[in-house]
Amino acid sequence: MHVFVTGASGWIGSATVDDLVAAGHQVTGLARSDASARAVAAAGATPLRGDLDDLDALRRGASDADAVVHLANKHDWSDPAATNASERAAVEALGEVLVGTDRPFVVASGIAGLAGDRPALETDPSPFSGPDAMRGGSENRAFDFVERGVRTIAARFAPTVHGTGDHGFIALIVAAAQRHGVSAYVGEGTNGWSAVHRSDAARLVRIGLEQAPPGTRLHATAETSVPTRAIAEAIGAALGLPVTSVDPADAVAHFGFIGQFFGMEMSGDSTATRSLLGWQPVGPTLAEDIAAGAYSGARAA
């Protein structure tokens, strides 16, 4: 297939491009800068210059492709309203191009906030709808296109898609530990986070693109629920730092914005995903990656 990938030079996107190319697919990747374009080309894909707000570029990429993988997101925590609006507009632009084609449309989503105090299941619908919702309600908006002849698939990622070079949530928690000289968790640290290695997440995107039926929710979670205290302990052991609890009221002051999430249950089960597609994670666990130094480059500033 000829696959158009947004976020093609990003953390999950670049691994997905590598997996798609290795599987024999032709890939065009959205690239918002010269550096991104060079990275996409070096991976064996064709760069298409544009960004998430360039709806014409998104439409061109989608119209020329047999499938679309939408992984780009601004992640601008200083202006969530603008980020949500861009995400929704992008999904709508891509979906409209695919109407009536039965082409696959994989849309990135997450498991946060889906099921409260238990691991989310693939059968749990997203509670986020409408343009003002998290990610602009993009998962539900994308599923609107199923009845219009689009094979929409939601790829719900664990809060940590880990590996060497990750600058996401775990890197921020590591940076806080370096900054304060202590590795902390929130409250009792019994709430859990799912985790998946980057290579496993990328492979699931590709298999879902190839095989999943319309309306499928896929959970990219290798470890269903890692207690956040265990995460802090792994970081403490890797950095040689003591481990302690932070009061929930002080979490944001200690960790920064990530503190509001580190005390939340953000876990998801992937049993149905594995059964449907035969996907089996083979990468290292989060604790193994931390112990091996995957986050040694995280900065305390």
Side-chain angles (χ1 to χ4, degrees), residues 101-148:
T101 67
D102 292 319
R103 296 175 191 170
F105 181 25
V106 179
V107 177
S109 187
I111 61 170
L114 295 180
D117 59 357
R118 64 166 174 81
L121 304 176
E122 291 91 339
T123 52
D124 289 317
S126 172
F128 307 113
S129 295
D132 297 327
M134 186 169 65
R135 297 186 75 110
S138 58
E139 178 180 309
N140 285 325
R141 185 68 184 98
F143 280 143
D144 288 341
F145 289 96
V146 170
E147 63 185 22
R148 300 177 65 191

Coordinates of all heavy atoms in Angstrom, one line a residue, residues 101-148:
T101 N -14.3 5.4 0.1 CA -13.2 4.7 -0.5 C -12.9 3.4 0.2 O -12.1 2.5 -0.4 CB -11.9 5.5 -0.5 OG1 -11.5 5.7 0.9 CG2 -12.1 6.9 -1.2
D102 N -13.4 3.2 1.4 CA -13.1 2.0 2.2 C -11.6 1.9 2.5 O -11.1 0.8 2.9 CB -13.6 0.7 1.6 CG -15.1 0.6 1.5 OD1 -15.7 1.0 2.5 OD2 -15.6 0.2 0.4
R103 N -10.9 3.0 2.4 CA -9.5 3.0 2.7 C -9.3 3.1 4.3 O -10.1 3.7 5.0 CB -8.7 4.2 2.1 CG -8.7 4.2 0.6 CD -8.1 5.5 0.1 NE -8.3 5.7 -1.3 CZ -8.0 6.8 -2.0 NH1 -7.6 7.8 -1.4 NH2 -8.3 6.8 -3.3
P104 N -8.2 2.4 4.8 CA -8.0 2.5 6.2 C -7.5 3.9 6.7 O -6.7 4.5 6.0 CB -6.9 1.4 6.4 CG -6.3 1.2 5.1 CD -7.3 1.5 4.1
F105 N -8.0 4.3 7.9 CA -7.6 5.6 8.4 C -7.3 5.3 9.9 O -8.3 5.2 10.7 CB -8.8 6.5 8.3 CG -8.7 7.9 8.8 CD1 -7.4 8.5 8.9 CD2 -9.8 8.6 9.2 CE1 -7.3 9.8 9.4 CE2 -9.7 9.9 9.6 CZ -8.4 10.5 9.8
V106 N -6.1 5.2 10.2 CA -5.7 5.0 11.6 C -5.4 6.3 12.3 O -4.7 7.1 11.8 CB -4.4 4.1 11.7 CG1 -3.9 3.9 13.2 CG2 -4.6 2.8 11.0
V107 N -6.1 6.5 13.4 CA -6.1 7.8 14.1 C -5.5 7.6 15.5 O -6.0 6.7 16.3 CB -7.5 8.4 14.2 CG1 -7.4 9.7 15.0 CG2 -8.0 8.7 12.8
A108 N -4.5 8.3 15.9 CA -3.9 8.2 17.2 C -4.8 8.7 18.3 O -5.5 9.7 18.1 CB -2.6 9.0 17.3
S109 N -4.9 7.9 19.4 CA -5.7 8.3 20.5 C -5.0 7.8 21.8 O -3.8 7.4 21.7 CB -7.1 7.7 20.4 OG -8.0 8.1 21.4
G110 N -5.6 7.9 22.9 CA -5.0 7.5 24.2 C -6.0 6.8 25.1 O -7.2 6.8 24.8
I111 N -5.4 6.2 26.1 CA -6.3 5.5 27.1 C -6.6 6.3 28.3 O -7.4 5.9 29.1 CB -5.7 4.1 27.5 CG1 -4.3 4.4 28.2 CG2 -5.5 3.2 26.3 CD1 -3.8 3.1 28.8
A112 N -6.0 7.5 28.4 CA -6.2 8.3 29.6 C -7.6 8.8 29.7 O -8.2 9.2 28.7 CB -5.3 9.5 29.6
G113 N -8.2 8.7 30.9 CA -9.6 9.2 31.2 C -10.7 8.3 30.6 O -11.8 8.7 30.6
L114 N -10.4 7.1 30.2 CA -11.4 6.3 29.6 C -12.3 5.5 30.6 O -13.4 5.2 30.4 CB -10.8 5.3 28.6 CG -10.1 5.9 27.4 CD1 -9.6 4.7 26.5 CD2 -11.1 6.7 26.6
A115 N -11.6 5.0 31.7 CA -12.3 4.1 32.6 C -12.1 4.3 34.1 O -12.4 3.5 34.9 CB -11.8 2.7 32.3
G116 N -11.7 5.5 34.5 CA -11.6 5.8 35.9 C -10.6 5.0 36.6 O -9.4 5.1 36.3
D117 N -11.0 4.2 37.6 CA -10.0 3.5 38.5 C -9.7 2.1 38.1 O -9.3 1.3 38.9 CB -10.6 3.5 39.9 CG -11.9 2.9 40.0 OD1 -12.5 2.4 39.0 OD2 -12.4 2.8 41.2
R118 N -10.0 1.7 36.8 CA -9.6 0.4 36.3 C -9.0 0.5 34.9 O -9.1 1.5 34.3 CB -10.9 -0.5 36.2 CG -11.9 0.1 35.2 CD -13.0 -1.0 34.9 NE -14.0 -0.4 34.0 CZ -13.9 -0.3 32.7 NH1 -12.8 -0.7 32.1 NH2 -14.9 0.2 32.0
P119 N -8.3 -0.6 34.5 CA -7.8 -0.6 33.2 C -8.9 -0.4 32.1 O -9.9 -1.1 32.2 CB -7.0 -1.9 33.1 CG -6.7 -2.3 34.5 CD -7.9 -1.8 35.3
A120 N -8.7 0.4 31.2 CA -9.6 0.6 30.1 C -9.6 -0.6 29.2 O -8.6 -1.2 29.0 CB -9.3 1.9 29.3
L121 N -10.8 -0.9 28.6 CA -10.9 -2.0 27.6 C -11.2 -1.4 26.3 O -11.6 -0.3 26.1 CB -12.0 -2.9 28.1 CG -12.0 -3.5 29.4 CD1 -13.2 -4.3 29.7 CD2 -10.7 -4.4 29.6
E122 N -10.9 -2.2 25.2 CA -11.2 -1.8 23.9 C -12.7 -1.5 23.7 O -13.1 -0.7 22.8 CB -10.8 -2.8 22.9 CG -9.2 -3.0 22.8 CD -8.7 -4.0 23.7 OE1 -9.4 -4.4 24.8 OE2 -7.6 -4.5 23.5
T123 N -13.5 -2.1 24.5 CA -15.0 -1.9 24.4 C -15.4 -0.6 25.0 O -16.6 -0.2 24.9 CB -15.8 -3.1 25.0 OG1 -15.3 -3.3 26.3 CG2 -15.6 -4.3 24.2
D124 N -14.6 0.1 25.8 CA -14.9 1.3 26.4 C -14.9 2.5 25.4 O -13.8 2.8 24.8 CB -13.9 1.7 27.5 CG -14.1 0.8 28.7 OD1 -15.2 0.5 29.1 OD2 -13.0 0.4 29.3
P125 N -16.0 3.1 25.1 CA -16.0 4.2 24.1 C -15.3 5.4 24.7 O -15.3 5.6 26.0 CB -17.5 4.5 23.9 CG -18.2 4.0 25.2 CD -17.4 2.8 25.7
S126 N -14.8 6.2 23.9 CA -14.2 7.5 24.4 C -15.3 8.4 24.9 O -16.3 8.7 24.2 CB -13.4 8.1 23.3 OG -12.9 9.4 23.7
P127 N -15.1 9.0 26.1 CA -16.0 10.0 26.6 C -15.8 11.4 26.0 O -16.5 12.3 26.3 CB -15.8 10.0 28.1 CG -14.3 9.7 28.2 CD -14.0 8.7 27.1
F128 N -14.8 11.5 25.2 CA -14.4 12.8 24.7 C -15.0 13.1 23.3 O -14.6 12.5 22.3 CB -12.9 13.0 24.6 CG -12.2 12.6 25.9 CD1 -11.4 11.5 26.1 CD2 -12.4 13.4 27.1 CE1 -10.8 11.2 27.3 CE2 -11.8 13.1 28.3 CZ -11.0 12.0 28.4
S129 N -16.0 14.0 23.3 CA -16.6 14.3 22.0 C -16.7 15.9 21.9 O -16.8 16.6 22.9 CB -18.0 13.7 22.0 OG -18.0 12.3 21.9
G130 N -16.8 16.3 20.7 CA -17.0 17.8 20.5 C -15.6 18.5 20.4 O -14.6 18.0 20.8
P131 N -15.6 19.6 19.7 CA -14.4 20.4 19.5 C -13.6 20.8 20.7 O -12.4 21.1 20.6 CB -14.8 21.5 18.6 CG -16.3 21.7 18.9 CD -16.8 20.3 19.2
D132 N -14.3 21.0 21.8 CA -13.6 21.5 23.0 C -13.1 20.4 23.9 O -12.5 20.6 24.9 CB -14.6 22.3 23.8 CG -15.1 23.6 23.1 OD1 -14.2 24.1 22.3 OD2 -16.2 24.0 23.3
A133 N -13.3 19.1 23.5 CA -12.9 18.0 24.3 C -11.4 17.7 24.1 O -10.8 18.3 23.2 CB -13.7 16.7 23.9
M134 N -10.8 16.9 24.9 CA -9.4 16.5 24.8 C -9.2 16.0 23.4 O -9.9 15.2 22.9 CB -9.0 15.5 25.8 CG -7.5 15.1 25.8 SD -7.1 14.2 27.3 CE -8.0 12.6 27.0
R135 N -8.1 16.4 22.7 CA -7.7 16.1 21.4 C -8.9 16.4 20.4 O -8.9 15.9 19.3 CB -7.4 14.6 21.2 CG -6.1 14.2 22.0 CD -5.8 12.8 21.7 NE -5.1 12.6 20.4 CZ -3.9 12.4 20.2 NH1 -3.1 12.2 21.2 NH2 -3.4 12.3 19.0
G136 N -9.7 17.4 20.8 CA -10.8 17.8 19.9 C -11.8 16.7 19.7 O -12.6 16.7 18.7
G137 N -11.9 15.7 20.6 CA -12.8 14.6 20.4 C -12.5 13.8 19.1 O -13.4 13.3 18.5
S138 N -11.2 13.7 18.7 CA -10.9 13.3 17.4 C -11.2 11.8 17.2 O -11.5 11.4 16.1 CB -9.4 13.5 17.1 OG -8.6 12.9 18.1
E139 N -11.1 11.0 18.3 CA -11.4 9.5 18.1 C -12.9 9.4 17.6 O -13.1 8.7 16.6 CB -11.2 8.8 19.4 CG -11.5 7.3 19.2 CD -11.3 6.5 20.5 OE1 -10.1 6.6 21.0 OE2 -12.2 5.7 20.9
N140 N -13.8 10.0 18.4 CA -15.2 9.9 18.0 C -15.5 10.5 16.7 O -16.3 10.0 15.9 CB -16.1 10.5 19.1 CG -16.1 9.6 20.3 OD1 -16.1 8.3 20.2 ND2 -16.2 10.1 21.5
R141 N -14.8 11.7 16.4 CA -15.0 12.3 15.1 C -14.6 11.5 14.0 O -15.3 11.4 12.9 CB -14.3 13.7 15.1 CG -14.6 14.5 13.9 CD -16.0 15.0 13.8 NE -16.4 15.7 12.6 CZ -17.0 15.1 11.6 NH1 -17.3 13.8 11.6 NH2 -17.3 15.8 10.5
A142 N -13.5 10.8 14.2 CA -13.0 9.9 13.1 C -13.9 8.7 12.9 O -14.1 8.3 11.7 CB -11.6 9.4 13.5
F143 N -14.5 8.2 13.9 CA -15.5 7.1 13.8 C -16.7 7.5 13.1 O -17.5 6.7 12.6 CB -15.8 6.5 15.2 CG -14.7 5.6 15.7 CD1 -14.4 5.5 17.0 CD2 -14.1 4.7 14.8 CE1 -13.5 4.6 17.5 CE2 -13.1 3.8 15.3 CZ -12.8 3.8 16.6
D144 N -17.0 8.8 13.1 CA -18.2 9.3 12.3 C -18.1 8.9 10.8 O -19.1 8.8 10.1 CB -18.3 10.8 12.4 CG -18.8 11.3 13.8 OD1 -19.4 10.5 14.5 OD2 -18.6 12.5 14.1
F145 N -16.8 8.8 10.4 CA -16.6 8.5 8.9 C -16.8 7.0 8.6 O -16.8 6.7 7.4 CB -15.2 9.0 8.5 CG -15.1 10.5 8.5 CD1 -14.6 11.2 9.6 CD2 -15.5 11.2 7.4 CE1 -14.5 12.5 9.5 CE2 -15.4 12.6 7.3 CZ -14.9 13.3 8.4
V146 N -17.0 6.1 9.6 CA -17.1 4.7 9.3 C -18.4 4.5 8.4 O -18.4 3.8 7.4 CB -17.2 3.9 10.6 CG1 -17.7 2.5 10.3 CG2 -15.9 3.9 11.3
E147 N -19.5 5.2 8.8 CA -20.7 5.0 8.1 C -20.7 5.7 6.7 O -21.6 5.5 5.9 CB -21.9 5.5 8.9 CG -21.9 7.0 9.2 CD -23.0 7.4 10.1 OE1 -23.6 6.6 10.8 OE2 -23.3 8.6 10.1
R148 N -19.6 6.4 6.5 CA -19.5 7.1 5.2 C -18.4 6.4 4.3 O -17.9 7.0 3.3 CB -19.1 8.6 5.4 CG -20.2 9.3 6.2 CD -19.8 10.8 6.4 NE -19.7 11.5 5.2 CZ -19.1 12.7 5.1 NH1 -18.6 13.3 6.2 NH2 -19.0 13.4 3.9

